[in-house]
């Protein structure tokens, strides 16, 4: 008998629609003539889900007695006897009632599958056994019902039922998931946006991993031996040329094919001077790679392929992306190029991608600006050509018994002199000319093997040879130096142009400027040093890189920006010609530093202006809001002291009540003013100690009318760390604000819950609410949302509450109340050493 097939609907959280989709699939199969029965489906009172049961055959449930109560569960025997083609069995991770045939429902499903019955089931990601610890760390809830991952992985089909956190919370708020009395608790605990987003990501990643397993199985069945890695680390080698942007985008497309791939752009700076790449182009490519989620790196290395491979292996890269060489065809005579060398030496652990681009094979343009010195390899080659070349040519011509004649032999030696000038410059060429003239005289000018010259014409020929060789060497060397000087000036001009552009744009990021200095000159660290006077001690205003210099004397290179500011670089000694550009960077760094200080002073001035504004507002508030209760007190006292009127006991009681009410209002206003003053002056020093929330909250409700507030504070809450006095003021202000805006027939609800290492107190009202754009403004001093009457206070209650909450290391935020209204969420840390709390959630959370 063939084993049945299992199809699982996987969801990130309860309420995403797994059961609904399962029933829809059942109706589709029923319409196609498939024999479908409902073995067990739990609708949790959701009308739309229950409506889908109509038209489906439902297997009666089995009743089980346990500890004096009756429970119902799937009757496996009836389903086996009925032998349908497909059975719907909800809640794969469900734990059966003790006394059932199997302990877990997934074991019941295994029995149905062994009997050849196809099963469709549902499960949430939090019920997978391997994710229990992860889910607990995210939600604070330990799942009691789990299913082994292998059971779900063996499913023939897994379909992810996805829903955004916002949509799920709307469904919950509308009553489509839980009953009305459970909505607030669910929204404030398990169904937070952050929790749902994290669970959704877990579900997506787990499903992607299962898809990859399917793909591996397909490869095995079809004999595909290539391994496709899901996560890659890709190094992009850039030269500062315009093709770098193409390479970075290509690497990003490669990375997008695998989850968790990382891109690292690498620019290699030579150690012999100012880099020749355009600083502006490098800055553009840096921004591009960072916008694509990658990182930019710069290292020093004279051997480009070796430095590239060392970096790639050092970061455990799996792929390298390089551009096609910009060399022209004839230039390959000088070597295979970086791309071919890296591909040859990468080995089996690194894949190398050579990406074509529009600048390929169009030449490199001007040589990179590395000063007026030739590279070490070229100088060595020039000296070998100038010294060993003439000797080798002499040996060859002597061995062959050449009869070419003195003129042709001189032309061959002159060719070596020109080659030495092209490779190594003037000195190797002069050496080649001197050595060549001596060898021509001794071996090829009659009389042979003597230093004398018999024919005067031969003397003239040797003199001409030396003059021509020297002249050609001088011209070639001068042309090479002028070309490299032009390239250096171009690089300097681009660098200074970019620097001037940053000045005009008003860029004030000192770390970015120091990073540009470090990359441009290929240094290890850069520090901007300053001192108070000409003989004062140097202090570091800003630095970048490891082990920055503490004094200019400690640096390999230092440039003074002015008498009291200097730029100090560590890593290597720079040539003198680089100091001109470095001086411009130092001047700009000093300007940026001064600008930052001016900005700080402007911020201090702004704060002083804000303080003055608060004082002005305070005076206005005092002139009105304080005068109102004082006027009431004054009028009531004057009336009581009046001898012209005989007040009845009822009238006297009413006047005394007015005095008491106005005094309380006045005390509250003055208290908030003093509290705000303490917050602005930094005089709030909380006395933190272990506190029970249920002991403080009732004390804060003494000033509100009876019957306007409902409490829901479990006795099992862990203790918190707080200042009891500040906490009482916070709660009092929050409750007063909520009562003020709540309808007369609606109570304010204070609900507390523990979540991980914090306790949250939610003040829930059913008032008009606050739009999202105003949720932060209501915490500013002297702000009252909407058309609140002036006499109700000076608008400091919420500002004081948030200030006290932050002083105790907590937070105070505003959220919308589902169904209308505003919820103030006060979050405080639990006492040290207290175990994280797991809130009691609706039973449906575990299904």
């Amino acid at each position: 008998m063939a084993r049945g097939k299992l199809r699982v609907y996987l969801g990130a959280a309860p309420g995403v629609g797994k059961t609904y989709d399962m029933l829809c699939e059942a109706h589709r199969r029923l319409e196609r003539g498939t024999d479908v029965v409902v073995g067990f489906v739990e609708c949790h009172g959701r009308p739309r889900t229950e409506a889908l049961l109509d038209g489906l055959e439902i297997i009666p449930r089995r009743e089980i007695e346990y500890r004096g109560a009756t429970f119902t569960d799937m009757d496996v025997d009836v389903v086996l006897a009925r032998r349908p083609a497909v059975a719907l069995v909800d809640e794969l991770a469900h734990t059966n009632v003790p006394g059932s045939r199997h302990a877990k429902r997934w074991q019941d499903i295994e029995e149905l599958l062994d009997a050849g019955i196809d099963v469709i089931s549902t499960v949430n990601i939090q019920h997978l056994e391997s994710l229990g610890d992860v889910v607990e760390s995210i939600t604070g809830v330990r799942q009691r019902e789990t299913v082994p991952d292998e059971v779900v992985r063996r499913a023939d089909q897994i379909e992810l039922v996805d829903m955004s956190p916002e949509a799920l919370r709307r469904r919950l708020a509308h009553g489509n998931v839980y009953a009305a009395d459970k909505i607030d608790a669910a929204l404030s605990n398990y169904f937070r946006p952050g929790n749902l987003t994290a669970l959704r990501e877990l579900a997506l990643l787990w499903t992607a991993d299962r898809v990859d397993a399917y793909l591996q199985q397909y490869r095995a069945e079809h004999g595909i031996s290539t391994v496709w890695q899901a996560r890659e680390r890709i190094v992009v080698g850039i030269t500062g040329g315009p093709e770098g942007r193409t390479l970075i985008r290509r690497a990003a497309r490669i990375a997008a094919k695998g989850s968790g791939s990382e891109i690292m752009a690498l620019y290699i700076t030579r150690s012999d001077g100012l880099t020749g790449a355009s600083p502006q182009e490098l800055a553009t490519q840096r921004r591009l790679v960072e916008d694509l989620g990658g990182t930019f790196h710069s290292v020093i290395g004279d051997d480009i392929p070796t430095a590239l491979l060392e970096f790639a292996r050092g970061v455990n890269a799996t792929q390298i992306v390089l551009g096609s060489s910009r060399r022209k065809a004839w230039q390959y005579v000088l070597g295979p190029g970086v791309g071919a060398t890296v591909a040859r030496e990468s080995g089996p652990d690194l894949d190398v991608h050579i990406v074509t681009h529009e600048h390929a094979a169009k030449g490199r343009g001007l040589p990179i600006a590395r000063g007026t010195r030739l590279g070490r390899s070229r100088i060595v080659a020039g000296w070998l050509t100038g010294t060993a070349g003439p000797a080798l040519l002499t040996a060859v011509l002597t061995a062959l018994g050449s009869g070419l004649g003195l003129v042709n032999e001189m032309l061959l030696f002159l060719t070596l002199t020109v080659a030495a000038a092209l490779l190594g410059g003037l000195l190797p060429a002069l050496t080649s000319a001197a050595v060549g003239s001596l060898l021509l005289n001794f071996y090829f000018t009659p009389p042979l093997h003597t230093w004398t010259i018999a024919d005067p014409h031969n003397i003239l020929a040797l003199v001409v040879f030396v003059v021509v060789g020297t002249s050609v060497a001088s011209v070639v060397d001068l042309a090479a130096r002028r070309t490299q000087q032009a390239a250096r000036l171009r690089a300097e001009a681009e660098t200074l142009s970019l620097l001037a552009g940053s000045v005009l744009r008003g860029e004030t990021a000192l770390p970015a400027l120091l990073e540009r200095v470090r990359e441009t000159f290929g240094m290890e660290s850069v520090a901007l040093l300053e001192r108070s006077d000409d003989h004062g001690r140097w202090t570091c205003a800003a630095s970048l890189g490891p082990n920055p210099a503490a004094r200019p004397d400690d640096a390999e290179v230092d440039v003074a920006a002015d008498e009291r500011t200097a730029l100090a670089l560590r890593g290597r000694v720079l040539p003198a010609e680089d100091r001109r550009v470095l001086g411009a960077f130092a001047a700009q760094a000093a300007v940026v530093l001064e600008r930052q200080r001016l900005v700080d002073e402007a911020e201090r001035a702004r704060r002083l202006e804000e303080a003055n504004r608060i004082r002005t507002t305070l005076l206005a508030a005092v002139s009105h809001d304080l005068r109102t209760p004082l006027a009431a007190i004054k009028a009531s006292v004057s009336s009581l002291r009046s001898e012209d009127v005989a007040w009845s006991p009822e009238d006297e009681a009413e006047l005394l009540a007015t005095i008491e009410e106005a005094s309380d209002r006045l005390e509250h206003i003055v208290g908030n003013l003093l509290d705000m003053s303490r917050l602005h002056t930094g005089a709030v020093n909380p006395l933190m100690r272990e506190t029970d929330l249920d002991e403080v909250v009732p004390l804060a409700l003494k000033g509100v009318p009876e019957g306007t507030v409902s409490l829901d504070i479990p006795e099992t809450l862990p203790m918190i760390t707080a200042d009891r006095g500040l906490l009482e003021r916070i709660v009092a202000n929050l409750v007063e604000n909520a009562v003020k805006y709540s309808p007369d027939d609606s109570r304010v609800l204070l609900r507390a819950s523990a979540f991980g290492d914090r306790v949250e107190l939610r003040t829930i009202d059913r008032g008009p609410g606050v739009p999202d754009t105003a949720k932060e403004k209501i915490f500013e001093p002297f702000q009252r949302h909407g058309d609140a009457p002036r006499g109700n206070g000076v608008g400091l209650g919420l500002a004081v509450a948030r200030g006290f909450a932050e002083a105790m290391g907590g937070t105070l935020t505003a959220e919308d109340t589902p169904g209308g209204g505003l919820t103030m969420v006060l979050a405080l840390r639990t006492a040290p050493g207290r175990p994280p709390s797991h809130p009691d959630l609706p039973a449906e959370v575990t299904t």
Side-chain angles (χ1 to χ4, degrees), residues 540-687:
C540 183
S543 64
L544 193 71
N547 193 23
R551 299 179 305 163
D553 295 340
D554 298 336
E556 278 76 12
V557 181
D558 67 280
V559 177
D562 51 42
E563 293 80 1
R564 300 179 181 180
T565 310
L567 198 63
L569 292 81
R570 304 193 71 169
R572 60 190 176 87
V573 178
L574 290 179
E577 54 266 28
D578 284 351
R579 298 179 68 88
R580 181 171 60 255
V581 179
L582 188 57
F585 275 107
Q588 174 63 5
V591 171
V592 170
L593 180 62
E594 183 64 23
R595 185 178 297 163
Q596 283 185 350
R597 288 175 175 165
L598 291 175
V599 170
D600 293 339
E601 291 181 3
E603 177 62 21
R604 286 193 293 271
R606 188 197 63 79
R607 288 197 294 266
L608 290 174
E609 181 183 359
E610 177 68 15
N612 288 331
R613 186 191 68 82
I614 291 177
R615 291 191 189 98
T616 303
T617 309
L618 175 60
L619 291 175
V622 168
S623 65
H624 183 281
D625 295 299
L626 290 181
R627 184 177 298 174
T628 300
L630 282 174
I633 294 173
K634 176 66 175 177
S636 299
V637 171
S638 299
S639 298
L640 288 173
R641 295 188 62 182
S642 175
E643 298 177 355
D644 300 336
V645 180
W647 300 103
S648 65
E650 293 80 7
D651 293 335
E652 290 183 357
E654 184 176 353
L655 290 173
L656 291 173
T658 301
I659 294 174
E660 183 179 11
E661 181 181 353
S663 299
D664 291 340
R665 184 184 305 173
L666 184 62
E667 180 186 11
H668 180 71
I669 293 174
V670 172
N672 277 337
L673 290 172
L674 293 176
D675 290 339
M676 182 54 60
S677 175
R678 292 167 60 198
L679 288 171
H680 274 284
T681 58
V684 177
N685 297 310
L687 178 60

Side-chain angles (χ1 to χ4, degrees), residues 68 106 111 127 157 198 212 267 455 552 575 578 580 612 614 629 635 686 842:
W106 65 265
E111 186 173 352
H127 295 300
Q157 297 181 55
D212 185 67
Y267 176 71
D455 190 349
D578 284 351
R580 181 171 60 255
N612 288 331
I614 291 177

Side-chain angles (χ1 to χ4, degrees), residues 217-256:
Q217 181 181 354
Y218 175 83
R219 292 197 192 105
E221 293 174 352
H222 291 78
I224 300 175
S225 58
T226 304
V227 177
W228 297 349
Q229 298 181 2
R231 293 175 176 85
E232 300 286 351
R233 181 167 288 153
I234 304 169
V235 173
V236 187
I238 59 177
T239 63
E243 76 280 358
R245 284 172 278 181
T246 301
L247 303 183
I248 292 171
R249 293 190 180 98
R250 180 58 183 273
R253 291 197 295 272
I254 295 174

Side-chain angles (χ1 to χ4, degrees), residues 3-10 92 105-114 118-119 121 123 128-129 147-159 206 209-211 213-214 217:
R3 178 181 168 87
K5 296 184 179 298
L6 175 62
R7 176 171 184 158
V8 174
Y9 285 91
L10 176 66
L92 181 64
R105 182 164 292 162
W106 65 265
Q107 295 171 321
D108 295 337
I109 292 175
E110 286 291 320
E111 186 173 352
L112 298 180
L113 294 173
D114 292 337
D118 293 345
V119 176
S121 187
V123 71
L128 296 182
E129 201 167 70
V147 58
D149 289 42
E150 187 58 30
V151 173
V152 184
R153 288 184 179 277
R154 286 201 308 263
D156 299 275
Q157 297 181 55
I158 298 177
E159 181 169 335
W206 195 92
D209 182 65
R210 185 67 183 98
V211 171
Y214 278 130
Q217 181 181 354

